[in-house]
Amino acid sequence: MFSTRTSWDRTANPLAIAVEQARAAGRSLIDLTESNPTRAGIFGLEPLIGELGDARGAVYEPAPLGHDEARNAVAAYYATRGLRVNPTHVVLSASTSEAYSWILSLLSDTGDTVLVPRPSYPLLGWIAASQGVRLVTYPLSRDAGFRIDLHELAGAIDERTRAIVLVHPNNPTGHFVRKEDARALAALAKQHGLALIVDEVFGDYAHGDLPNGALPSFLDLSATEAPLVFVLSGLSKVLLLPQCKLGWTVVTGEPPLVEEALARLELIADTFLSVATPIQLALPALLGAQPRVRRAVLERVGRNLATLDGAIAELGREAPLRRLPAEGGWYAVLEVPRVHDEDAWTELLVREEGVIVHPGYFFDFDRDGFVVVSLILAPELFAEGARRLVRRLGDAR
């Protein structure tokens, strides 16, 4: 009765079981995987939610690609970052997840492949499976600061490949693509007739000035460098408003391909009409708050990073763990002693320290020995969680 596309393994993983058991026993836990910004107290969001009351929202006037006012607001947001965007090339969706789904439908037939980075955020696997698309990974070289292994990527391209996905900066490693690598990718895409799908939801959250040679945004690529580029972002990260359900895609590249992509995306979007009118009407005012939200996020991330680094430094030069360098985003990756595998570490930390962390394999790291923590938790709670985490990992020396 059901499709094989939805026959996912729904067995609870060891971490989920350990957390469930701890909470059932009444244990208070510090969740260092917290990724919901509405629970983190970073910025007063109530005034932003108040912008949803525009009386014009009482009238339904569907616009498949989004209302002009909202698309102009997205272009204006990018202008504040020094990026030029044509508002008519902006496609609104209910989320970046929905945008991924639409783009995969646009580009791929059942059985086609899309190249995705490893390590990276695991959500795309579920979306691709629902579209009948097969994902093929290409490595980010840990020893080279998680730069793209262009040789391995090129070798993964075959006649069924339709697109290359990038997460920029990467989640969870926080690394930005280098300009020379971006241009090499664009050349590969042109050579093989592939699209680039670039997830830039964390693009506002660089940790200070970018390293020399890092690319701030794939919107910096000229229209002649890659045949077709889809740059994704949305309110979930830009304004800490995942509940408002608004994402967007900026389509760039060779004009005939952009025109055809937009025409087809309009039909896909018209099938669902999933973006609510009130959030579109509120978008210009909401995005006006983005600089203040960005400052608040970076202050929180910077403070928690300093706390984490300080706790590790107290272990001394022979500390058996280290934080991997990051250039952006709101996650930290810790390389931990391999006296236990990642499942054993995460279970032990819940059971003995009351701390929840992600095992590295959630993000498809190339080997065992990593855990990932979120940096948006309230500072006092994060400090206690980091203290317990680092102390327990330090005891494994």
Side-chain angles (χ1 to χ4, degrees):
M1 182 175 291
F2 301 107
S3 75
T4 56
R5 293 195 306 274
T6 58
S7 60
W8 298 298
D9 181 2
R10 302 194 301 277
T11 306
N13 61 58
L15 174 59
I17 294 170
V19 169
E20 182 180 4
Q21 290 174 343
R23 287 177 171 156
R27 183 82 184 272
S28 178
L29 302 176
I30 298 177
D31 188 357
L32 292 182
T33 70
E34 179 62 80
S35 61
N36 182 345
T38 68
R39 293 198 294 246
I42 298 171
F43 187 85
L45 300 173
E46 292 80 4
L48 300 185
I49 298 300
E51 297 289 347
L52 296 172
D54 193 316
R56 292 176 295 164
V59 178
Y60 181 47
E61 295 180 354
L65 296 179
H67 288 278
D68 289 344
E69 186 176 352
R71 297 164 82 192
N72 286 332
V74 172
Y77 151 73
Y78 281 112
T80 66
R81 295 175 53 189
L83 299 166
R84 187 174 180 179
V85 166
N86 184 338
T88 66
H89 293 180
V90 175
V91 180
L92 302 186
S93 56
S95 64
T96 52
S97 298
E98 183 174 64
Y100 271 125
S101 179
W102 289 358
I103 294 166
L104 293 181
S105 295
L106 170 72
L107 299 174
S108 308
D109 292 316
T110 300
D112 283 342
T113 62
V114 170
L115 305 185
V116 297
R118 176 186 185 191
S120 192
Y121 190 62
L123 175 66
L124 194 55
W126 303 91
I127 298 171
S130 70
Q131 299 294 314
V133 174
R134 189 168 64 90
L135 299 184
V136 175
T137 62
Y138 63 88
L140 305 180
S141 175
R142 181 164 39 83
D143 293 336
F146 292 102
R147 288 186 65 165
I148 298 166
D149 188 326
L150 292 166
H151 177 75
E152 290 287 336
L153 187 152
I157 297 171
D158 63 21
E159 67 279 358
R160 298 302 300 268
T161 308
R162 294 293 175 264
I164 302 168
V165 171
L166 302 104
V167 182
H168 181 248
N170 182 267
N171 179 12
T173 71
H175 288 77
F176 284 79
V177 175
R178 292 331 191 229
K179 293 176 183 177
E180 62 182 291
D181 294 343
R183 294 196 166 93
L185 278 172
L188 271 176
K190 179 169 283 192
Q191 177 185 349
H192 295 280
L194 306 177
L196 299 181
I197 306 170
V198 188
D199 185 333
E200 293 193 347
V201 296
F202 286 108
D204 285 318
Y205 302 123
H207 300 169
D209 295 334
L210 288 180
N212 187 37
L215 183 73
S217 171
F218 272 74
L219 293 171
D220 282 323
L221 291 181
S222 73
T224 60
E225 290 186 89
L228 192 59
V229 181
F230 302 91
V231 175
L232 283 60
S233 190
L235 296 190
S236 176
K237 305 300 186 294
V238 169
L239 284 176
L240 313 183
L241 293 173
Q243 74 276 34
C244 287
K245 306 311 297 177
L246 181 69
W248 58 78
T249 302
V250 181
V251 187
T252 69
E254 297 172 4
L257 291 175
V258 171
E259 182 180 353
E260 183 66 16
L262 288 168
R264 294 188 181 212
L265 281 170
E266 183 170 16
L267 289 173
I268 294 172
D270 195 32
T271 303
F272 298 97
L273 293 172
S274 54
V275 185
T277 300
I279 187 60
Q280 295 189 65
L281 295 173
L283 192 58
L286 293 177
L287 285 173
Q290 190 276 331
R292 290 180 287 131
V293 172
R294 177 178 179 272
R295 284 194 297 272
V297 170
L298 290 175
E299 181 180 349
R300 172 68 58 84
V301 168
R303 181 173 175 179
N304 286 343
L305 263 180
T307 296
L308 179 60
D309 288 346
I312 295 172
E314 288 182 4
L315 296 178
R317 297 180 62 181
E318 301 302 319
L321 71 152
R322 69 183 183 105
R323 179 177 69 84
L324 303 191
E327 298 162 357
W330 64 41
Y331 289 92
V333 180
L334 298 178
E335 186 173 8
V336 302
R338 284 189 276 175
V339 295
H340 304 295
D341 66 21
E342 291 171 353
D343 276 331
W345 267 127
T346 56
E347 290 177 68
L348 181 151
L349 287 165
V350 169
R351 187 174 63 249
E352 297 187 5
E353 300 296 338
V355 172
I356 308 172
V357 299
H358 283 304
Y361 70 76
F362 274 16
F363 300 90
D364 205 16
F365 277 85
D366 62 336
R367 66 160 173 79
D368 192 67
F370 300 96
V371 300
V372 178
V373 300
S374 168
L375 297 167
I376 64 170
L377 208 60
E380 297 77 12
L381 198 58
F382 182 89
E384 176 60 21
R387 184 188 66 80
R388 297 183 195 178
L389 170 67
V390 171
R391 182 191 63 204
R392 186 63 184 83
L393 293 172
D395 286 345
R397 70 177 77 211

